[in-house]
Amino acid sequence: MPFISKIQRQFDYNRFSSTTPIVIDNGASYFRIGWAGESEPRVVFRNIVQRPRHKATGETVTIVGDHDPALLKYFDCTRSGPRSAFESDVVFQFEIMEYILDFAFDRMGATGSGIDHPILITECVCNPVQSRSKMAELLFETYGVPSIAFGVDAAFSYKYNQQRSVCDKDGLAMCPGFATTHVIPFVDGEPIYKGSCRTNIGGFHVTDYFQRLLSLKYPYHMARFTWEKVEDLKMEHCYVAQDYVSEARLFLKGAKEAEEKTKMWQLPWVPPPVEEPPSEEEIARKAAIREKQGQRLREMAEAKRSSKINELENELRGLEFLLNQLGHVQESDVRSFLAETGYVSRQEVESARSKVVQSLRKQKGEQTEIEKPDAASNEKYTLINIPDDMLTAEQLVEKRKQLSIKSMSDGRQRLKQKRYEEELERERKQQLEEERRLENPELYLEQLRAKYKDLSEKIDQRKRLKTNGGSSTNGNGNSLTGSVGRGERLSAAQRERMRLLTTAAFDRGKGEDTFGAKDEDWQLYKLMSKDNDDDDDEPDEDNTELARISSRLQDLDPTFVPKVESSSQPAEAPRIRPLTKEDFQIVFGVERFRCPEILFSPNWIGVDQVGLDEMAGVSMRRLSCKDEKLEQRMTNSILVTGGSSLFPGIIERLEAGIRMIRPCGSPIKIVRALDPVMDAWRGASAYASAPGFHTQTFTRMDYYEKGEDWLRSYQLKYSL
Amino acid sequence: MKVKKMEAEVVDAELVLPNYLSFKRIQMYDKYPKGQSRGRHWKHLKQIIQAENYQNYPPDEPNYVNIESPPSMHPCKRICDITGYEAPYYDPKTNLRYANTDVFKMIRSLPNESVQRYLGMRNAAVVLK
């Protein structure tokens, strides 16, 4: 159950006489203000101030307390979060305190000039005098209050419950609050601050711990865990375990009780629309469309082909006709006859025809004729063997042509011969290898494997060098250069080029320029040029050799598995799992009792102080009353109050804890206050309405006459 | 010129604290004039305590500092930083405490940022200054 704010404006301010005190419970989390003698405070709100910027007007405004979050959409709250005037229960920012008091008095319905009512305001135990005097100053100077009294909230709560016989006049008030936890011993109905102790841990820390745990456990939903929400969750789900360790073990084992104790918060979740698998009809329709489109494409290609064939056939017919005509024409008239066709000689026409024939064949899908046999070719070179001086100029040209054609065909011939020889050589090698294999198969295989390994490593290394620079291989000289950043992205060759370029760029004007004196200097440009990247042929050779060995190994060795290229196929991207309802469930298991447990073990959040149960012992020790009876009376009347005492199970746990530090058989009675949250204000209200209240207040005159030292030792008498 | 105004619902809720309040002797804008740099006119708790000079007063007189609780005498319960179970083990690499092998596997896969946040919860994170 979250605390509820009441911020409605009151309209009966003027009905109260100026002797009726205003009672303020100025708690670190909530501010409560009301009239003395009433049972409920009039105005309650969170003790925070925000100073956001109003979006429409651009004004920086002051907003006190908690309001309907829907209204905050008109404000830009990004610059400043909610601020508190407190640090560890001590008011230290009086500007914020003033805003809060402004708001509080305004909502109480204050009009007129000044607040003409005595004020009873709570403070923490042993409030530093500076904070106290600043508060007094603020109330006197700014609001013009006639008199003030300071009291401790936990003490008021204890007195309130004492009056209702919940606890006795001797006892302990344990008050786990918002920022701190106090234990105050009471003797004869008066608090003994000498015996009190304070641990700087409270509900704030529990919520903070809970929030951190949740956002670490569910990072995706971090934005959901706002302070207010976690505060609500804490109040709804958290409880104090009787014995932390055994409770945690239950959860570790996954016992049934643990399952029952696990709570869940379902975040709003809308299932994504389910994609329906396409129906048969749909599939068929799509296939039909595809088929149709394919058909059309095929038809278009066919049409194009046939038109091309047609064209070529026409051309061929034309050329054949021309040749036919040429047959009837005199040799000398050929040139004039051909003038208008664009051809020069009969040969040209013939070659054109053969070209057309070939392309026609290609179009029709027939095999192109393989190179004509060379046998008859020799007679083509009719002029070669005739000495130059016996030829005419025309014939000389012809001879040169023939010569070049002959050398070309000779070269081709030689290449063929070479290939054939290589083939022979390879066969011979294979033969040799086969022989060796037969001689000693084991050794042979071993050698083959070693060779394979060598080669593949070599190739791998080169690849790494090329793609990854020298970072991963330390075989090469320049392996030290940049394993991170730019160096890593460049291959060795690229880096070398960069080096050359930079040295070339920056080495001007250094001594004598001798560049170009040697021929090798010009090689530099070749190295710098980009085409240099395409690797030399050596790796190719290695690759073919590797392929050969691996195929051979595959033939001979059944256990051999050729290394697959690891980087060829990039790892398949992880499939995104569709989010389910479960992904939007916030499960509270151990957290339910782990968070409040920090009240008992503050060192879990790095606060090296005793926990709640031990504080009772510390308090008694400090009191050092040496009166067994009194101590027994005190442990027989332990009141637990304050907002953090609302956790279920805290009373039982405290009892167990305190029993451990007390002598065996001592009476122990622990009770929770009637209303741990409101009783402090109610006690203060009852106190302020008592006839003797005015004897406990001090006026502005008192304050200025008696000075700070007096204020330091100022202390209320709670039993009037 | 049209003067921009607050939205009606904001005005209705009286969300914004008015600048002028009749019951105040000194208004906020007089105390903290606009445009002037406010500086820091307040002290932190630490400074307040220092200014109190508690050392000048008898030690048996209770004050804000000496009523603070002492460190615990009980052996510290160690719990797993992640799960909250009992933590018999401690990972020297991340400084996290853990309950069992499953949690150990998990903490070893955690990014350093999360590790620091877990450590930060018990005020043991590495703080760079």
Side-chain angles (χ1 to χ4, degrees), chain B residues 2-66:
Chain B
K2 198 183 142 205
V3 178
K4 280 184 185 168
K5 279 196 180 156
M6 300 256 172
E7 293 76 7
E9 35 185 337
V10 176
V11 177
D12 287 346
E14 294 182 280
L15 194 64
V16 172
L17 195 68
N19 279 326
Y20 173 79
L21 291 163
S22 69
F23 54 81
K24 287 184 80 175
R25 299 255 171 102
I26 310 163
Q27 298 297 332
M28 223 43 179
Y29 48 79
D30 290 330
K31 208 181 252 185
Y32 307 107
K34 234 184 184 170
Q36 248 178 49
S37 91
R38 299 192 178 185
R40 244 201 24 218
H41 50 267
W42 41 265
K43 287 177 176 172
H44 276 297
L45 181 60
K46 239 180 192 169
Q47 295 166 301
I48 291 176
I49 288 169
Q50 228 164 28
E52 296 283 298
N53 290 315
Y54 286 129
Q55 68 276 11
N56 298 345
Y57 296 91
D60 57 340
E61 191 187 298
N63 61 42
Y64 186 80
V65 173
N66 68 15

Side-chain angles (χ1 to χ4, degrees), chain A residues 140-161:
Chain A
F140 285 134
E141 304 288 333
T142 306
Y143 300 97
V145 300
S147 57
I148 305 173
F150 287 111
V152 172
D153 47 0
F156 285 127
S157 178
Y158 188 87
K159 292 304 284 182
Y160 183 79
N161 282 284

Side-chain angles (χ1 to χ4, degrees), chain A residues 27-38:
Chain A
S29 66
Y30 273 80
F31 186 97
R32 303 177 189 88
I33 186 168
W35 295 104
E38 293 191 351

